[in-house]
Amino acid sequence: MTALLTIIVLVFILVAIWQMVKIFDLAQAKNENSQVATDKDNTINGYLMMGFLAFIYIITIVCFAKWGDLPLMSNSASEHGPTIDNLMIISMIIIFITQTITQFLLHYFAFKYKGEKGKKALFFADNNKLEAIWTIIPVIVLAGLIIYGLNTWINIMGVDESDDPLVIELYAQQFNWKARYGGADNTLGKANVRLIDIDRANILGLDEADPNAQDDVITTELHLPVGKPVLFKMRSQDVLHSAYMPHFRAQMNCVPGMITQFGFTPTVTTAEMRQTPEMIEKVANINNIRVEKSQKLIAEGGEALERYEFDYLLLCNKICGKSHYNMQMKIVVETQEEYDAWMKEQKEFKNSLVN
């Protein structure tokens, strides 16, 4: 808060100085010091506009050449992921084409029709045909994007219960995640934050009298069987969080006092994603950086950094407090056999309580 107040005070001081300079200039101004732009001023500004247009295009070309592979639009690991990626790519192409054309017209017209003595601007007070063109075209394009987006969203959110999806609760609290599985009956027991009892290790507030809660499994790591539809039920204990799983193109707010949901089918195991060329290159680059930093740390008497290994992550995508940046949970996508073996190692809720 102190820093914010300091910045505000400095801004006001700068504004005051600027106003004083303007007043001084006006007081000292002579008749011949007109502030009306000359032909030379207009010519300079016209060429500056064209120079800035060239700068925009050069920067765009450099960005495409260096980062144009769009890695986050080619490594989706869910069934609906490619559809989301296609929607994003189409949107970006439309935006790019529109931006290229409009920026050229804006800067070129500023250059071509710069002010010159004796030159009178020709303009139309109104032109129904032009107005119809630049109104109808955006309407058609935006309507197409909106309809495509709505259909995509409906298909994603319309989880088919007849597919017998694996039901998992994601429980958010500052600043960690818990996952709760429905157990053998794949049915989550009743829960309420008012039932939380730390002394009995009932950390999610499950109703101990509910038969469906007895075989629930609570974990700090999220395991998903590949190819199996998953339906997430989301709760928050304290503030607004957002469950974000980037590789699965999934995000949904976790709202205190209500249950939200999101579903998807994972299609790529963790082991398979680790073996993709893009991920191998990314991991190698990260570890090279860590090696360099580790050498400096060791020279200063510290410990070396651990080697990085790729894992899917569940992140919080809402600023929920001072440790928001570190609110994450590891996600493991594995075969059905590996998932079953892992589940057998977990404690059921009824066996995890402290008497």
Side-chain angles (χ1 to χ4, degrees):
M1 181 60 71
T2 302
L4 177 61
L5 291 174
T6 303
I7 292 171
I8 292 173
V9 170
L10 289 173
V11 169
F12 280 130
I13 291 173
L14 291 173
V15 171
I17 294 173
W18 176 69
Q19 291 290 343
M20 291 173 64
V21 170
K22 293 291 291 181
I23 293 171
F24 178 79
D25 288 342
L26 290 172
Q28 297 297 320
K30 297 180 181 180
N31 293 334
E32 62 271 16
N33 291 336
S34 173
Q35 295 194 18
V36 176
T38 64
D39 285 355
K40 182 179 178 181
D41 295 331
N42 292 330
T43 300
I44 291 173
N45 283 320
Y47 280 110
L48 286 175
M49 292 292 281
M50 294 303 293
F52 188 69
L53 177 64
F55 171 76
I56 292 174
Y57 286 162
I58 290 169
I59 287 295
T60 302
I61 293 170
V62 170
C63 290
F64 269 107
K66 195 167 184 180
W67 300 290
D69 57 340
L70 301 176
L72 284 181
M73 292 189 189
S74 60
N75 61 1
S76 62
S78 64
E79 198 172 81
H80 73 264
T83 308
I84 294 289
D85 293 349
N86 288 338
L87 179 59
M88 181 63 74
I89 291 171
I90 291 171
S91 299
M92 291 185 68
I93 289 173
I94 293 173
I95 291 169
F96 174 75
I97 293 173
T98 304
Q99 184 264 353
T100 301
I101 295 173
T102 55
Q103 289 298 324
F104 172 78
L105 293 175
L106 172 67
H107 291 80
Y108 176 70
F109 279 20
F111 170 76
K112 181 175 176 61
Y113 299 106
K114 58 186 178 291
E116 295 178 10
K117 284 185 179 179
K119 187 176 181 179
K120 188 176 181 180
L122 176 64
F123 65 91
F124 297 99
D126 63 85
N127 188 308
N128 294 335
K129 185 177 180 180
L130 284 176
E131 290 175 7
I133 291 172
W134 67 53
T135 300
I136 293 172
I137 291 177
V139 166
I140 294 173
V141 173
L142 289 175
L145 283 175
I146 291 170
I147 293 171
Y148 182 26
L150 283 174
N151 286 334
T152 302
W153 179 252
I154 291 170
N155 291 335
I156 293 171
M157 296 303 294
V159 179
D160 192 349
E161 299 286 349
S162 64
D163 290 338
D164 189 27
L166 176 64
V167 180
I168 304 174
E169 178 185 73
L170 294 179
Y171 186 83
Q173 62 183 123
Q174 296 173 309
F175 297 95
N176 63 72
W177 297 93
K178 298 288 189 300
R180 176 163 67 106
Y181 294 79
D185 58 4
N186 197 33
T187 302
L188 294 170
K190 296 178 183 178
N192 192 303
V193 292
R194 295 181 178 85
L195 299 177
I196 293 175
D197 188 345
I198 301 299
D199 293 334
R200 285 181 52 76
N202 187 356
I203 56 177
L204 301 190
L206 272 66
D207 185 349
E208 298 179 22
D210 183 5
N212 290 325
Q214 304 307 308
D215 63 347
D216 286 2
V217 174
I218 301 171
T219 68
T220 56
E221 193 172 271
L222 183 59
H223 283 241
L224 305 174
V226 67
K228 174 76 173 178
V230 183
L231 178 60
F232 293 99
K233 303 285 187 177
M234 304 176 188
R235 283 196 299 149
S236 172
Q237 177 175 306
D238 34 51
V239 299
L240 183 66
H241 299 277
S242 187
Y244 177 45
M245 294 167 272
H247 286 89
F248 305 102
R249 309 299 190 258
Q251 178 170 323
M252 180 58 67
N253 287 344
C254 306
V255 185
M258 67 181 294
I259 296 174
T260 56
Q261 70 176 37
F262 196 102
F264 64 81
T265 302
T267 57
V268 182
T269 66
T270 301
E272 290 170 342
M273 183 62 77
R274 287 174 179 171
Q275 295 304 312
T276 59
E278 297 83 1
M279 197 56 65
I280 291 173
E281 181 182 0
K282 175 184 176 181
V283 171
N285 289 336
I286 293 174
N287 283 323
N288 287 337
I289 295 172
R290 291 196 172 195
V291 167
E292 294 177 3
K293 290 190 175 182
S294 294
Q295 291 173 350
K296 294 180 181 178
L297 289 172
I298 293 173
E300 296 171 357
E303 295 183 0
L305 298 174
E306 295 181 1
R307 287 185 61 80
Y308 169 75
E309 185 175 46
F310 169 79
D311 280 305
Y312 294 122
L313 291 174
L314 164 61
L315 307 170
C316 178
N317 207 25
K318 283 284 187 294
I319 299 177
C320 56
K322 61 183 180 180
S323 293
H324 156 75
Y325 70 96
N326 203 33
M327 184 173 169
Q328 58 187 29
M329 181 165 66
K330 177 180 175 181
I331 303 175
V332 178
V333 180
E334 55 200 355
T335 64
Q336 185 67 52
E337 293 75 18
E338 292 170 328
Y339 171 79
D340 293 337
W342 173 81
M343 185 57 70
K344 288 179 181 178
E345 298 173 355
Q346 309 307 310
K347 278 187 178 181
E348 294 183 345
F349 172 67
K350 61 185 178 183
N351 298 325
S352 66
L353 294 173
V354 177
N355 297 320

